[in-house]
């Protein structure tokens, strides 16, 4: 990497460039570029040639577009773009051979590229606080078999595709603050699930299969408050999560659930509070 | 073999007409010296060795088949010669192996034990003691010799403290029943390592005490035994305490007296780092139902390392440092705060 002499640099060399230069000198594999006022990858010259780096953290910047060249970082394992202004992601991300953790929470994504689910080894995917819903999920989204944690909180899902049951290794499913009207029975197939966040949705019932999950161990988390639950569930919830789970196993509940799903009840609960104030809604 | 001493008497008061010499049958002259030996009378010239015709020295003679011999001729003619040392045998003669022996000269040809009183066995023209004979015979036939009775063992031997025996010499330590070759030697019981502390039990008693009992089903284990958690287990009964699947030789993890498969051990006890998903070897940070290794315990938004003392906010059950939390959209922060307060209220 040939760099011109220091005297030739603009008088105010960006802090980000300094970080890159230092990393090149020391061979550092983890790059921290948090809150550097970055708008674009153009401000990080030569970054894509630093194929040795394993972690790239760009939180709290103003980046709206990821250059597809990022896929040149063949050793990258952790990519953190929390709190930026991303409107879309390049499909090239999904081909990164070692990417295990992708954090794009608090951005402005309202779609995902076709073929997004092709990540070979992705384990943690944080898409929380964006503008996603079931309509924009690409067909292979639930083909990410290696996924351990999927955060979809603070989005606009009304339904979760039943294909979610294919995520055999999923341990954490975050669906907090969406518009979910129901959960698919296939959630019960997620044998390793130990965290289920469904608080603040429009759920009235839970599929009885949820009771198959191991949500009561000392390492488990079940968050389900702030939903318009049918009375029997709401009553059990007041007693505790374990009472809800036990209740879901009863024949009485199965009847209630089936009747509910056949649409005997009045229409779906109204949407929650106005979301127009969300930062993810801001238009450029 | 005996010798006698004759008496010489003067024939004075006896009625000479009734007396005659045992050898020549003639009478005796008055005042003639007469030899009296066990009531038989002799002329002094007739009372001589049947071989050399000389008088007996000191009157000592040896009698054999009605004839009397002097000591020398008797020995020459009749006394046995020891087959070992070649000397005459005086006193007790051992007649064996078609020869005569001094008692102290007749010994086992293998172990040289005196055989006069214990008896012997002829083995390939050798005189052997019972023990050596049994050993030799056992070597030839491939059979064992009981170390107690030295007899051959026809069936399977009972092995005990490194030797072989007839089973019937022993009784079960527990129930006292007579043993056979199926008896079991219980070796080095806890605290007793020495061989001579070993004990014998019949199969029945041994089964009761020695056969491992499965820690799960409490039944004896006839086949492969798994030993873990200080107990024995049937292979198919040694299972994960969580999913109850048998380990079948796969690695298991122990915690508080229970065994777990790798998956459930880490699931239950959180020893996989949430970031690198590797087993945590060193110090473990635990928070929000998760664990982190020292290298990866960091703010989930800016990846800045945190320590045990760091304060953090919870966002979807992930740690967020204050600096990042302050940079969250106001609207999000407000909702998170409200949700938190609601939860607190509910818990009160």
């Amino acid at each position: 990497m040939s760099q011109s002499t220091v005297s030739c640099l603009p008088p105010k060399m960006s802090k980000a460039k300094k970080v890159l230069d230092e990393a090149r000198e020391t061979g550092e594999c983890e790059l921290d570029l948090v809150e550097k006022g970055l708008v674009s990858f153009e401000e990080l010259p030569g970054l894509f040639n630093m194929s040795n780096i394993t972690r790239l953290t760009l939180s709290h910047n103003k980046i709206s577009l990821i250059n597809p060249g990022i896929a040149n970082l063949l050793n990258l394992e952790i990519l953190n773009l929390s709190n930026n202004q991303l409107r879309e992601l390049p499909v090239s991300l999904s081909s990164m051979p070692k990417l295990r953790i992708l954090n794009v929470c608090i951005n402005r994504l309202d779609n995902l590229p076709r073929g997004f689910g092709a990540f070979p080894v992705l384990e943690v995917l944080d898409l929380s606080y964006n503008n996603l819903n079931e309509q924009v999920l690409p067909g292979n989204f639930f083909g990410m078999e290696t996924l351990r944690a999927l955060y979809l909180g603070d989005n606009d899902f009304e339904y979760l595709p039943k294909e979610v049951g294919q995520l055999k290794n999923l341990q954490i499913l975050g669906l907090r603050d969406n518009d979910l009207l129901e959960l698919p029975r296939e959630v019960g197939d997620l044998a390793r699930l130990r965290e289920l966040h469904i608080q603040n949705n429009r759920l009235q019932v839970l599929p009885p299969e949820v009771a198959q999950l191991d949500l009561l161990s000392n390492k488990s988390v079940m968050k389900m408050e702030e939903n318009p639950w049918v009375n029997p569930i709401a009553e059990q919830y007041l007693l505790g999560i374990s009472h809800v789970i036990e209740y879901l196993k009863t024949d009485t509940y199965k009847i209630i659930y089936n009747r509910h799903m056949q649409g005997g009840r009045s229409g779906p609960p109204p949407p929650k509070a106005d979301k127009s104030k969300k930062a993810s809604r801001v238009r450029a | 073999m005996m010798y006698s001493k004759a008496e010489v008497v003067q024939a004075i008061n006896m009625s000479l007409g009734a007396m005659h010499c045992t050898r020549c049958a003639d009478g005796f002259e008055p005042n003639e010296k007469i030899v009296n030996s066990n009531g038989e009378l002799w002329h002094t010239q007739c009372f001589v060795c049947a071989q050399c015709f000389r008088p007996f020295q000191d009157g000592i003679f040896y009698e054999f088949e009605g004839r009397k011999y002097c000591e020398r001729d008797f020995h020459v003619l009749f006394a046995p010669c020891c087959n070992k040392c070649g000397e005459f045998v005086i006193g007790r003669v051992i007649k064996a192996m078609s020869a005569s022996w001094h008692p102290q000269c007749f010994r086992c040809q293998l172990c040289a034990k005196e055989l006069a009183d214990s008896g012997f066995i002829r083995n390939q023209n050798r005189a052997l003691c019972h023990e050596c004979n049994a050993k030799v015979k056992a070597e030839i036939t491939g059979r064992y010799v009981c170390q107690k009775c030295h007899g051959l063992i026809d069936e399977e031997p009972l092995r005990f403290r490194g030797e072989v025996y007839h089973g019937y010499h022993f009784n079960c330590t527990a129930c006292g029943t007579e043993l056979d070759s199926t008896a079991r030697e219980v070796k080095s019981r806890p605290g007793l390592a020495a061989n001579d502390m070993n004990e014998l039990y019949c199969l029945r008693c041994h089964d009761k005490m020695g056969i491992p009992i499965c820690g799960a089903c409490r039944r004896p284990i006839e086949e492969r035994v798994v030993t873990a958690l200080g107990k024995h287990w049937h292979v198919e009964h040694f299972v994960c305490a969580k999913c109850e699947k048998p380990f079948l030789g796969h690695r298991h993890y122990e915690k508080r007296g229970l065994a777990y498969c790798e998956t459930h051990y880490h699931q239950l006890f959180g020893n996989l780092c949430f970031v690198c998903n590797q087993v945590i070897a060193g110090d473990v940070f635990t928070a929000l139902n998760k664990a982190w290794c020292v290298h990866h315990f960091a703010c989930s938004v800016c990846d800045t390392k945190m320590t045990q003392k760091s304060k953090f906010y919870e966002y979807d059950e992930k740690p967020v440092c204050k600096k990042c939390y302050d940079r969250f959209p106001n609207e999000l922060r407000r909702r998170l705060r409200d949700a938190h307060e609601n939860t607190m209220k509910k818990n009160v």
Side-chain angles (χ1 to χ4, degrees), chain A residues 152-157 175-180 200-201:
Chain A
L152 295 171
D154 272 316
N155 278 287
D156 305 319
F157 287 88
L175 294 162
R176 167 189 57 80
D177 287 290
N178 275 275
D179 293 299
L180 287 173
N200 238 327
N201 278 284

Side-chain angles (χ1 to χ4, degrees), chain A residues 24-274:
Chain A
R24 270 189 282 262
E25 256 175 52
T26 61
E28 176 61 53
C29 296
E30 306 196 336
L31 275 189
D32 284 296
L33 291 160
V34 177
E35 207 172 10
K36 296 281 186 261
L38 299 171
V39 173
S40 141
F41 277 84
E42 307 294 312
E43 296 167 71
L44 302 168
L47 170 68
F48 297 154
N49 292 325
M50 298 168 68
S51 59
N52 64 317
I53 62 171
T54 57
R55 176 169 65 80
L56 177 57
T57 303
L58 290 157
S59 316
H60 309 304
N61 284 293
K62 296 187 170 69
I63 299 169
S64 57
L65 205 66
I66 302 175
N67 189 317
I70 196 160
N72 289 346
L73 301 175
L74 292 176
N75 285 301
L76 198 65
E77 295 182 30
I78 301 176
L79 177 57
N80 192 339
L81 285 150
S82 304
N83 197 16
N84 276 275
Q85 299 177 3
L86 296 173
R87 296 205 166 272
E88 55 188 66
L89 298 174
V91 70
S92 66
L93 268 191
S94 308
S95 68
M96 296 179 74
K98 293 190 178 173
L99 192 64
R100 295 188 301 106
I101 299 180
L102 175 60
N103 193 342
V104 285
C105 75
I106 317 179
N107 276 282
R108 299 173 185 180
L109 301 173
D110 38 35
N111 63 63
L112 292 173
R114 262 177 79 101
F116 179 76
F119 293 97
V121 295
L122 196 65
E123 296 175 16
V124 179
L125 175 58
D126 194 335
L127 292 166
S128 64
Y129 209 93
N130 281 286
N131 306 312
L132 301 171
N133 61 55
E134 62 276 12
Q135 315 287 338
V136 303
L137 291 185
N140 68 347
F141 186 82
F142 294 105
M144 297 185 277
E145 274 190 16
T146 53
L147 218 51
R148 288 190 277 126
L150 175 60
Y151 296 94
L152 295 171
D154 272 316
N155 278 287
D156 305 319
F157 287 88
E158 290 194 341
Y159 296 91
L160 187 65
K162 64 179 192 317
E163 288 78 13
V164 71
Q166 298 168 11
L167 299 174
K168 293 292 178 222
N169 285 304
L170 203 64
Q171 296 168 31
I172 300 172
L173 178 56
L175 294 162
R176 167 189 57 80
D177 287 290
N178 275 275
D179 293 299
L180 287 173
L181 293 165
E182 58 185 68
L183 279 182
R185 285 175 177 268
E186 286 74 10
V187 167
D189 297 341
L190 302 173
R192 300 185 67 178
L193 201 71
R194 57 179 173 82
E195 281 192 29
L196 180 59
H197 313 160
I198 47 172
Q199 69 270 39
N200 238 327
N201 278 284
R202 294 154 70 190
L203 295 167
Q204 294 174 283
V205 290
L206 283 169
E209 288 76 7
V210 166
Q212 297 166 12
L213 300 173
D214 178 26
L215 294 172
L216 295 177
S217 85
N218 59 338
K219 291 285 167 194
S220 297
V221 178
M222 168 73 162
K223 292 184 163 182
M224 57 180 283
E225 61 268 21
E226 300 297 316
N227 278 289
W229 298 115
V230 294
N231 268 334
I233 292 184
E235 281 163 18
Q236 297 300 323
Y237 178 64
L238 288 176
L239 300 172
I241 298 291
S242 60
H243 291 261
V244 176
I245 300 292
E246 284 309 308
Y247 179 66
L248 296 186
K249 293 176 183 168
T250 62
D251 290 338
T252 322
Y253 177 70
K254 280 169 193 152
I255 295 165
I256 292 176
Y257 177 78
N258 288 334
R259 211 177 282 160
H260 185 93
M261 296 310 285
Q262 279 155 22
R265 312 282 294 196
S266 50
K272 315 271 294 187
D274 178 23

Side-chain angles (χ1 to χ4, degrees), chain B residues 4-9 14 18-24 26 28 33-44 46-47 56 61 63 65-68:
Chain B
S4 313
K5 200 165 179 180
E7 236 184 304
V8 180
V9 293
M14 301 172 196
M19 299 187 291
H20 52 88
C21 174
T22 305
R23 181 167 174 251
C24 65
D26 289 343
F28 297 97
K33 279 184 179 173
I34 301 168
V35 179
N36 180 348
S37 169
N38 290 332
E40 288 174 329
L41 302 177
W42 312 71
H43 295 112
T44 39
C46 287
F47 192 61
F56 302 115
F61 62 90
E63 200 167 334
E65 287 176 350
R67 281 192 285 255
K68 292 179 170 59

Side-chain angles (χ1 to χ4, degrees), chain B residues 312-341:
Chain B
F312 56 84
Y313 290 81
E314 175 260 324
Y315 175 66
D316 284 346
E317 298 288 314
K318 292 193 289 184
V320 175
C321 69
K322 181 164 189 334
K323 207 174 152 192
C324 285
Y325 189 80
D326 288 343
R327 280 154 187 72
F328 274 9
N330 291 336
E331 174 270 338
L332 173 60
R333 261 190 336 211
R334 194 174 57 246
R335 277 190 292 120
L336 291 173
R337 192 184 59 228
D338 290 351
H340 182 70
E341 280 169 6

Side-chain angles (χ1 to χ4, degrees), chain B residues 26-235:
Chain B
D26 289 343
F28 297 97
E29 294 297 320
N31 296 326
E32 187 183 1
K33 279 184 179 173
I34 301 168
V35 179
N36 180 348
S37 169
N38 290 332
E40 288 174 329
L41 302 177
W42 312 71
H43 295 112
T44 39
Q45 68 273 18
C46 287
F47 192 61
V48 292
C49 171
Q51 180 70 14
C52 65
F53 304 111
R54 282 186 292 185
F56 302 115
Q57 210 179 358
D58 300 329
I60 292 168
F61 62 90
Y62 290 78
E63 200 167 334
F64 187 73
E65 287 176 350
R67 281 192 285 255
K68 292 179 170 59
Y69 300 88
C70 67
E71 183 169 0
R72 190 184 159 275
D73 283 328
F74 177 76
H75 283 167
V76 168
L77 290 171
F78 306 112
C81 254
C82 176
N83 198 38
K84 185 166 184 215
C85 64
E87 298 291 325
F88 292 125
V89 183
I90 315 262
R92 194 174 171 201
V93 180
I94 306 298
K95 290 225 170 252
M97 308 291 292
S98 324
S100 301
W101 316 76
H102 291 109
Q104 70 274 15
C105 284
F106 186 55
R107 291 168 183 269
C108 171
Q109 276 170 264
L110 288 178
C111 71
K113 193 169 93 177
E114 266 190 46
L115 299 171
D117 294 315
S118 60
F120 73 99
I121 290 164
R122 193 187 185 115
N123 183 307
Q124 291 179 316
N125 234 10
R126 294 177 300 182
L128 300 181
C129 67
H130 287 283
E131 289 86 343
C132 287
N133 178 63
K135 260 185 217 160
V136 168
K137 227 167 145 185
E139 274 164 27
I140 294 165
T141 59
R143 283 187 295 173
Y144 292 99
V145 179
C146 174
Q147 290 304 298
K148 185 146 188 143
C149 70
H150 306 294
L152 279 181
I153 304 171
D154 289 325
E155 291 97 30
E156 279 293 296
L158 169 67
R159 292 170 189 279
F160 182 46
R161 295 180 187 169
E163 300 283 6
V164 288
Y165 299 93
H166 286 114
Y168 51 70
H169 295 305
F170 297 91
N171 295 85
C172 171
T173 308
C175 70
T177 193
E178 188 182 292
L179 296 177
D180 58 26
S181 64
T182 64
R184 296 295 163 90
E185 182 174 12
V186 174
K187 293 178 185 171
S188 54
R189 288 175 300 152
L192 303 172
N195 206 32
D196 58 4
M197 299 306 285
N198 293 357
E199 287 175 332
L200 286 169
Y201 292 86
C202 69
L203 205 52
R204 204 181 139 81
C205 289
H206 180 262
D207 284 357
K208 270 193 242 164
M209 55 182 285
I211 283 241
I213 301 294
C214 174
C217 70
R218 311 301 310 162
R219 292 176 168 279
I221 305 168
E222 309 282 352
E223 289 155 7
R224 270 180 64 201
V225 183
V226 179
T227 307
L229 301 167
K231 289 179 187 166
H232 302 292
W233 312 84
H234 284 113
V235 175

